[in-house]
């Protein structure tokens, strides 16, 4: 049954929505998540597992450092798999090395222990790598991976234990607004009274913003990104997430089950279509086997697609929208929302409960697009 | 003759070595069959340590001439071949698969599947249009090629009828044997059907596509249903009628379609016992004993199950078709011209379960519709009328005796997914197959759910009371058949 009222309503039951609800419920706030399908069914369901702190600006590095602390803490407390097997960026020319030296400096400054390593060191970490063209690599052993669906489910179970209500197959259809104030949310299962709403719908964020009559320009568009999985092979074959910008913006790693999972930069959109394409199948095979030739022998079992909810600077919009009280947004994660989720949960909960947060949330200011203050583009994989 | 040879072979003799032991084989023989003829059933071991053979679900990776991960079902024996067992996760670290130059063909119609329906469509189309006929197996005739019995409609023995039909296929039809279609991709102006044959990639561009992709045998659920010596109906028929090797000399047969297998066993003079309600198979390295629900024990060499075929829905959903549940199985939703969508036709047991002759007629029917579309004279209504004489079969919906099984021993999917794993998730209240898939790995392995999704839906239905027609099946994604990355990697 739909509760009659809830102090806070979070729209969207993906990893971000669930992480926000989890944090709010933990602080004693009465919170309800409205999810139109099942918990974790959107981009979370299709996501590539990676969690990294190797970004190129202060805000993202600090937020991800905090996020990894939370990943460590909660994976231990809630018993879901998160392993710090590192992120390895393969570098092929001096230009790339220079850029990454700058990035590493920022990362080190804020406590992320990334190092520039030699091709031989990289090969020690992933023995199957072809390092014939690699001249250096950027390596941070504290980055890692988690199973997105398992993690989301774990947060969801805990959120419920703290008193959150998670409503599946409940689709938001509109808002009840009086004098610029939210009074309730209309769903396919009736109305729920609330004064505070968080839009955590990522790829669908503009639809929810439109329902709420938000006039502020927050350009978030869905792009089709694809992924592949191979047959399972012996565990520990490819431990870290391996990245190669030179070869198609490829990312690949091994899942806990044993398959090699990953994707490339091949982007289609804006679109809500999710059919995998033949072109992706060809491209991903070409790039992956350039990076690790042994993959030639492996069977591809399946490809699939999901959304990157992209903004013009590849950074999300996280914050309060003042034209409608109390309306918050946490959307537009541009391909790296899964890893950020625990920290985003903390930031939004801070905003709602204390009106401020210690994390550098201004970087994700939803007003920056209208003001024309785009950030340096965040590093986007795939 | 080797222990399980049904006939004296006239092909060239070769020697192969299995685990160091010298064995006799014949040139051109499939590795899995050559080993069977020598009474070698256990070929590989699953990730969780279950012994497996080649004749039911699950992959069969073996170490051949020092190379790991070779598919024993697709490999032909050669003189001096050294074969060893391996376990699923072992793979070869030196890249041995190298893609060849991609070839491209433009045709009017791509027919996927070379069974009676695919042949029927080809024969209808070939006079006026250019056709590519793609068949995954090494032969044309599909399931009909596996049988010896006389077929209604053709009024001839199955294999003879196939030979006569294929003799009429014109030389300019491009026939691709041993070639797997990876899916159908809509390019607007045409459909792209990428096909893999060994290490070659062939891109077929066609204005129309016929999915004559057939049906797959239902997997029966009982304890140790994955062990060496268990034969799915189609594999049992193949070893006997195509390769002339016995599954064993004393076999057990089960399932609602056991009769079809029994007549072949009788023809070959193989001793059998019919067991209507199998509970468990047992044995050290292969089946030695079968136990029924009443506790009766039967000493046998092998167990063959035949429980009906159901349309393979994977090629349909990948191509953008929708499915519905009717007559005990899921099948495509088609319009009045047998299309799942504009430009993509479907015929044969991919549509519904019926006789080979009816499937053949349906192929001709679809061919006639396409001819009409291209402005040629054709009489689809003649085939339509004839087809009406064949009411599609209904399959009984099996009832799994969940309470009577040790669920851990019953394998629902070839990739180490036990019935217990799936049942536990459902009993926790999770009934959406998408989530079950994710939590258990059901339908996430080599077969993409071809052999396990129906049984998954069945367990959900049984535990929840939900009707099968109300259960959503996850759609198939490309590639609809496994393909090695190296084959696609070449630019």
């Amino acid at each position: 049954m739909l509760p009659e009222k809830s102090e806070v309503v979070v729209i969207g039951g993906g990893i971000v929505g669930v992480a926000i609800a989890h944090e709010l419920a933990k602080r004693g706030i009465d919170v309800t998540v409205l999810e139109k399908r099942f918990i974790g069914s959107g981009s979370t369901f299709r996501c590539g597992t990676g969690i990294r702190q190797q970004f190129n600006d202060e805000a993202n590095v600090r937020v991800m450092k905090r996020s990894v602390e939370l990943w460590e803490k909660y994976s231990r407390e809630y018993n879901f798999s998160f392993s710090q097997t590192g992120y390895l960026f393969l570098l092929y020319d001096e230009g790339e090395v220079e850029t990454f030296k700058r990035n590493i400096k920022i990362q080190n400054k804020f406590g992320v222990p990334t190092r520039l390593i030699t091709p031989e060191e990289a090969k020690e970490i992933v023995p199957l790598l072809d390092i014939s063209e690699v001249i250096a690599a950027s390596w941070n052993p504290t980055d890692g991976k988690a199973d997105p669906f398992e993690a989301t489910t774990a947060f969801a179970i805990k959120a419920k234990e703290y008193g959150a209500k998670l409503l599946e197959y409940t689709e938001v259809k509109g808002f009840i607004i009086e004098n610029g104030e939210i009074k309730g949310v209309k769903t396919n299962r009736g109305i729920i009274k609330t004064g505070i709403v968080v839009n955590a719908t990522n790829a669908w964020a503009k639809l929810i913003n439109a329902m709420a009559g938000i006039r502020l320009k927050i350009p978030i568009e869905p792009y089709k990104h694809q992924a592949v999985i191979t047959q399972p092979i012996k565990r520990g074959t490819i431990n870290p997430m391996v990245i190669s910008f030179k070869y198609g913006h490829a990312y690949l790693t091994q899942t806990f089950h044993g398959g090699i999972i990953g994707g490339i930069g091949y982007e289609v959109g804006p679109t809500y279509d999710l059919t995998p394409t033949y072109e992706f199948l060809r491209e991903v095979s070409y790039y992956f086997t350039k990076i690790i030739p042994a993959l030639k022998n492996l069977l591809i079992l399946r490809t699939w697609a999901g959304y990157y909810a992209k903004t013009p600077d590849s950074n999300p919009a996280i914050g309060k929208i003042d034209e409608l009280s109390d309306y918050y947004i946490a959307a537009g994660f541009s391909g790296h929302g899964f890893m950020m989720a625990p920290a985003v949960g903390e930031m939004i909960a801070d905003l709602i409960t204390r009106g401020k947060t210690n994390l550098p949330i201004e970087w994700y200011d939803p007003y920056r697009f209208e003001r024309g203050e785009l950030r340096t583009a965040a590093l986007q994989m795939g | 003759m080797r222990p399980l040879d049904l006939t004296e072979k006239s092909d060239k003799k070769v020697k192969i070595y299995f685990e160091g032991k010298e064995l006799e084989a014949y040139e051109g023989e499939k590795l899995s069959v050559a080993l069977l003829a020598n009474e070698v059933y256990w070929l590989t071991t699953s990730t969780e340590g279950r012994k497996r053979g080649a004749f039911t679900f699950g992959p069969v990776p073996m170490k051949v001439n020092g190379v790991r991960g070779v598919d024993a079902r697709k490999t032909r024996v050669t003189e001096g071949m050294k074969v060893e067992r391996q376990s699923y996760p072992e793979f070869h670290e030196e890249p041995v698969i190298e893609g060849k130059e991609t070839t491209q063909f433009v045709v009017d119609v791509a027919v996927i599947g070379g069974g009676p329906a695919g042949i029927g469509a080809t024969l209808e189309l070939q006079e006026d249009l250019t056709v590519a006929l793609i068949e995954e197996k090494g032969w044309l005739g599909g399931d009909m090629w596996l049988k010896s019995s006389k077929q209604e409609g053709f009024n001839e023995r199955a294999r003879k009828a196939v030979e006569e039909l294929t003799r009429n296929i014109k030389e300019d039809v491009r026939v691709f044997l041993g070639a797997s279609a990876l899916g159908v991709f809509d390019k607007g102006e045409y459909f792209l059907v990428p096909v893999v044959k060994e290490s070659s990639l062939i891109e077929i561009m066609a204005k129309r596509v016929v999915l004559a992709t057939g049906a797959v045998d239902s997997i029966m659920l009982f304890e140790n249903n994955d062990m060496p010596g268990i034969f799915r109906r189609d594999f049992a028929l193949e070893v006997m009628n195509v390769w002339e090797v016995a599954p064993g000399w004393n076999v057990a047969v089960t399932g609602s379609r056991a009769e079809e297998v029994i007549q072949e066993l009788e023809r070959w003079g193989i001793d059998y016992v019919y067991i209507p309600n199998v509970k468990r198979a047992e044995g050290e390295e292969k089946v030695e004993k079968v136990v029924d629900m009443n506790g009766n024990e039967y000493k046998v060499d092998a167990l063959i199950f035949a429980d009906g075929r159901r349309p393979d829905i994977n090629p349909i959903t990948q191509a953008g078709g929708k499915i519905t549940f009717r007559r005990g199985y899921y099948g495509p939703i088609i319009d009045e011209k047998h299309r799942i969508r504009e430009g993509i036709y479907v015929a044969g047991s991919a549509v519904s379960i019926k006789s080979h002759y009816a499937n053949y007629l349906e192929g001709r029917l679809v061919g006639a519709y396409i001819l009409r579309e291209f402005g040629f004279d054709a009489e689809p209504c003649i085939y339509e009328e004839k087809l009406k004489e064949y009411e599609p079969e209904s399959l009984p919906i099996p009832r799994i005796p969940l309470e009577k099984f040790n669920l851990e021993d019953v394998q629902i999917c070839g990739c180490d997914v036990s019935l217990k794993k799936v049942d536990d998730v459902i009993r926790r209240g999770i009934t959406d197959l998408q989530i079950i898939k994710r939590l258990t790995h059901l339908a996430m392995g080599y077969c993409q759910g071809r052999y396990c999704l129906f049984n998954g839906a069945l367990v959900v239905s049984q535990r929840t009371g939900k009707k099968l027609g109300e259960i959503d099946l996850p759609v198939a994604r490309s590639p609809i058949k496994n393909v090695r990355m190296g084959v696609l990697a070449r630019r």
Side-chain angles (χ1 to χ4, degrees):
Chain A
M1 266 308 291
L2 201 65
E4 193 191 328
K5 57 177 191 209
S6 182
E7 196 177 346
V8 179
V9 165
V10 176
I11 306 172
I15 183 69
V16 171
V18 168
I20 292 168
H22 163 262
E23 199 60 39
L24 285 167
K26 211 175 156 199
R27 298 181 191 192
I29 305 287
D30 168 32
V31 56
T32 303
V33 175
L34 306 179
E35 165 54 51
K36 68 175 173 176
R37 284 189 69 207
F38 55 86
I39 293 299
S41 58
S43 304
T44 302
F45 206 64
R46 298 149 181 280
C47 152
T49 79
I51 295 167
R52 78 182 138 100
Q53 301 152 87
Q54 296 188 59
F55 277 83
N56 50 340
D57 59 83
E58 175 187 337
N60 277 308
V61 171
R62 284 176 57 200
V63 165
M64 279 313 302
K65 181 163 167 42
R66 175 62 183 155
S67 209
V68 165
E69 285 166 18
L70 294 171
W71 278 113
E72 269 187 272
K73 171 179 152 70
Y74 288 128
S75 64
R76 222 177 24 243
E77 285 176 14
Y78 302 168
N79 192 30
F80 63 84
S81 28
F82 164 62
S83 60
Q84 285 175 292
T85 41
Y87 255 66
L88 185 68
F89 287 77
L90 303 175
L91 309 175
Y92 301 82
D93 62 52
E94 288 306 329
E96 268 193 310
V97 172
E98 281 315 305
T99 308
F100 274 81
K101 276 184 180 165
R102 273 200 303 278
N103 294 348
I104 290 170
K105 206 178 260 178
I106 300 169
Q107 290 158 19
N108 291 167
K109 185 173 169 196
F110 296 99
V112 174
T114 313
R115 302 185 280 132
L116 199 69
I117 61 171
T118 64
E120 293 70 28
E121 286 175 299
K123 200 170 167 68
E124 266 173 45
I125 297 164
V126 183
L128 292 177
L129 276 185
D130 177 358
I131 53 163
S132 58
E133 296 174 275
V134 175
I135 63 165
S138 178
W139 166 244
N140 171 25
T142 66
D143 291 340
K145 59 193 175 191
D147 180 311
F149 191 65
E150 191 199 347
T152 306
T153 308
F155 278 111
I157 289 167
K158 280 294 159 179
K160 277 193 217 166
E161 280 180 26
Y162 288 122
K165 293 175 197 73
L166 273 60
L167 304 180
E168 297 181 299
Y169 300 98
T170 307
E171 186 171 1
V172 171
K173 299 285 190 185
F175 290 82
I176 299 167
I177 294 165
E178 287 170 16
N179 306 322
E181 279 185 19
I182 297 169
K183 297 291 176 191
V185 177
K186 293 182 210 163
T187 80
N188 60 336
R189 294 170 63 201
I191 289 168
I192 177 166
K193 288 184 196 157
T194 185
I196 306 173
V197 164
V198 183
N199 175 0
T201 59
N202 213 30
W204 296 272
K206 64 177 175 185
L207 303 177
I208 298 297
N209 285 348
M211 282 181 204
I214 302 294
R215 283 182 301 272
L216 179 68
K217 189 178 84 183
I218 309 173
I220 298 175
E221 293 293 342
Y223 284 81
K224 172 158 82 178
H225 276 251
Q226 301 178 57
V228 66
I229 186 119
T230 71
Q231 68 181 96
I233 54 171
K234 62 175 190 282
R235 312 249 166 102
T237 303
I238 304 176
N239 285 322
M241 185 70 82
V242 180
I243 310 281
S244 167
F245 286 133
K246 176 188 166 92
Y247 287 116
H249 282 73
Y251 66 92
L252 64 93
T253 191
Q254 188 170 20
T255 66
F256 297 112
H257 188 71
I260 307 302
I261 190 176
I264 53 172
Y266 185 80
E267 184 170 271
V268 185
T271 177
Y272 278 109
D273 171 62
L274 285 180
T275 327
T277 64
Y278 175 64
E279 288 67 27
F280 170 76
L281 205 48
R282 293 298 305 275
E283 295 278 295
V284 80
S285 301
Y286 172 76
Y287 290 128
F288 277 23
T289 55
K290 280 281 185 194
I291 301 162
I292 298 179
L295 296 179
K296 286 180 179 177
N297 300 342
L298 294 193
L299 293 164
I300 296 177
L301 300 188
R302 206 166 56 253
T303 61
W304 69 95
Y307 303 125
Y308 277 22
K310 284 189 51 162
T311 63
D313 59 12
S314 298
N315 280 294
I318 307 172
K320 190 167 186 295
I321 311 285
D322 293 322
E323 65 185 270
L324 180 62
S325 65
D326 277 357
Y327 188 86
Y328 296 83
I329 187 166
F333 288 91
S334 307
H336 45 267
F338 171 63
M339 59 182 78
M340 291 180 82
V344 175
E346 196 165 87
M347 284 193 275
I348 291 285
D350 281 349
L351 279 195
I352 290 173
T353 59
R354 301 164 44 208
K356 61 178 173 54
T357 175
N358 297 334
L359 286 165
I361 197 172
E362 324 74 58
W363 186 257
Y364 314 108
D365 183 359
Y367 288 84
R368 71 182 187 275
F369 307 107
E370 190 139 297
R371 285 204 295 263
E373 293 168 8
L374 295 190
R375 311 304 189 206
T376 40
L379 281 189
Q380 181 194 304
M381 305 306 133
Chain B
M1 280 178 35
R2 299 167 298 186
L4 291 183
D5 269 326
L6 288 166
T7 55
E8 188 102 43
K9 311 282 183 294
S10 57
D11 296 314
K12 193 183 159 209
K13 245 181 218 174
V14 293
K15 289 202 185 324
I16 63 169
Y17 300 86
F18 174 71
E19 300 281 327
K21 201 179 141 198
E22 185 184 304
L23 298 176
E24 199 174 282
Y26 293 93
E27 211 167 63
E29 212 168 33
K30 284 210 295 200
L31 176 54
S32 52
V33 175
L35 292 170
L36 173 68
N38 289 287
E39 285 183 307
V40 177
Y41 290 82
W42 168 32
L43 306 187
T44 188
T45 306
S46 81
T47 308
E48 290 183 5
R50 298 187 67 92
K51 295 179 177 120
R52 296 273 171 87
F55 303 111
T56 183
F57 56 11
V60 196
M62 296 191 84
K63 192 171 166 189
V64 176
N65 293 334
V67 175
R68 290 183 168 82
V70 176
D71 184 345
R73 289 196 189 105
K74 286 191 173 166
T75 303
R76 305 285 173 140
V77 292
T78 52
E79 176 61 39
M81 183 180 261
K82 289 188 178 58
V83 187
E84 289 161 75
R85 286 191 189 108
Q86 66 160 83
S87 68
Y88 281 13
E90 289 176 52
F91 72 106
H92 204 67
E93 297 189 357
E94 278 301 304
V96 287
I97 305 291
E98 290 297 340
K100 303 208 170 70
E101 195 84 33
T102 307
T103 47
Q104 296 180 318
F105 293 103
V106 180
V107 291
D108 293 316
V109 187
V111 178
I112 308 177
I119 295 172
T122 302
L123 292 176
E124 187 73 18
L125 290 161
Q126 63 180 1
E127 294 300 328
D128 299 307
L129 296 172
T130 54
V131 181
L133 177 58
I134 303 147
E135 169 54 51
E136 191 178 25
K137 297 270 169 42
W139 59 79
L140 290 178
D143 201 62
M144 194 166 153
W145 187 244
L146 304 179
K147 297 177 188 172
S148 65
S149 55
K150 197 167 173 181
Q151 296 297 309
E152 181 279 335
F154 296 109
N155 292 319
E156 279 193 281
R157 290 196 170 272
R159 287 164 65 97
K160 187 140 185 285
V162 170
E163 278 167 355
E164 273 177 30
L165 288 178
T166 50
R167 203 173 297 134
N168 294 324
I169 294 176
K170 287 172 59 179
E171 261 177 40
D172 59 356
V173 170
R174 290 192 181 277
V175 181
F176 299 93
L177 288 181
S180 310
L182 302 183
V184 179
F185 299 89
D186 187 349
K187 296 279 147 197
E189 288 290 294
Y190 62 93
F191 293 101
L192 175 65
V193 181
V195 170
V196 171
K197 186 175 165 137
E198 285 156 11
S199 290
S200 300
L201 182 63
I202 304 152
E203 293 178 338
I204 295 170
M205 289 165 266
K207 296 192 188 78
R208 300 289 180 273
V209 173
V210 177
L211 298 177
T213 38
V216 291
D217 273 284
S218 309
I219 295 290
M220 285 182 78
L221 299 180
F222 51 86
E223 295 171 17
N224 298 327
N225 58 339
D226 59 329
M227 74 182 299
I230 305 282
F231 286 74
R232 205 170 67 198
R233 182 207 62 109
D234 56 335
F235 281 124
L237 296 184
E238 182 187 331
V239 297
M240 288 189 284
N241 291 337
V242 178
W243 305 101
E244 301 180 349
V245 172
W249 286 116
N250 178 23
V251 304
V253 190
T254 190
S256 61
R257 296 291 193 274
E259 187 48 40
E260 195 185 306
V261 176
I262 286 171
Q263 57 177 347
E264 303 291 344
L265 294 170
E266 285 180 345
R267 191 170 77 90
W268 287 110
I270 297 169
D271 285 338
Y272 67 89
V273 52
Y274 169 65
I275 307 173
N277 50 352
V278 170
K279 179 173 190 289
R280 182 177 179 85
E282 280 177 21
E284 238 350 274
E285 292 194 354
K286 61 174 276 291
V287 175
E288 291 161 15
K289 187 168 89 181
V290 176
V291 185
D292 72 11
M293 284 294 179
N294 307 321
N296 300 314
E297 299 187 353
Y298 306 84
K299 282 210 173 335
V300 292
D301 309 324
L303 168 62
I304 306 171
F305 65 86
D307 205 32
R309 304 168 76 219
R310 293 183 157 82
D312 179 3
I313 54 175
N314 284 16
I316 310 232
T317 58
Q318 188 279 330
K322 298 266 181 282
I323 54 168
T324 184
F325 187 80
R326 234 185 350 185
R327 302 187 188 98
Y329 47 90
Y330 295 92
I333 296 176
I334 52 177
D335 69 6
E336 72 292 347
K337 285 183 181 157
H338 270 62
R339 291 181 298 198
I340 55 164
R341 48 175 288 197
E342 192 78 31
I344 303 181
Y345 295 75
V346 56
S349 55
V351 177
S352 56
I353 302 306
K354 51 198 179 301
S355 72
H356 291 310
Y357 189 66
N359 289 328
Y360 165 74
L361 287 176
E362 202 173 18
R364 300 229 49 147
L365 169 68
V366 156
Y369 284 137
I370 296 173
L371 285 179
R372 276 271 178 96
E373 252 202 275
F374 278 82
F376 294 101
D377 279 341
E379 305 280 357
C381 50
I382 295 174
Y383 301 120
E384 250 168 38
E385 283 307 308
K386 280 201 212 162
L387 202 52
K388 277 184 191 151
E389 293 166 24
Y390 300 89
E391 179 62 23
E393 285 176 39
S394 293
L395 293 185
I397 298 173
R399 175 132 201 112
I400 310 164
L402 291 163
E403 281 67 32
K404 290 182 182 151
F405 282 143
N406 175 6
L407 297 181
E408 226 155 331
D409 290 346
V410 183
Q411 298 298 300
I412 188 166
C413 158
C415 308
D416 283 323
V417 185
S418 69
L419 186 51
K420 181 170 192 325
K421 233 186 233 177
V422 172
D423 191 49
D424 282 353
V425 168
I426 295 169
R427 287 165 64 149
R428 266 165 55 200
I430 293 160
T431 58
D432 188 320
L433 276 169
Q434 289 282 8
I435 308 177
I436 294 169
K437 204 175 138 177
R438 190 58 74 92
L439 295 178
T440 65
H441 268 86
L442 176 83
M444 288 181 91
Y446 296 83
C447 82
Q448 261 210 50
R450 227 172 230 109
Y451 294 103
C452 58
L453 215 43
F454 180 80
N455 282 333
L458 204 56
V459 184
V460 171
S461 167
Q462 233 173 276
R463 283 290 187 208
T464 62
K466 231 180 181 180
K467 291 201 173 76
L468 280 164
E470 293 163 3
I471 296 172
D472 272 340
L473 293 196
V475 304
R477 305 291 189 200
S478 65
I480 55 172
K481 290 288 162 85
N482 302 161
V483 54
R484 295 199 194 261
M485 205 175 259
V487 175
L488 300 178
R490 183 163 169 157
R491 265 199 173 162

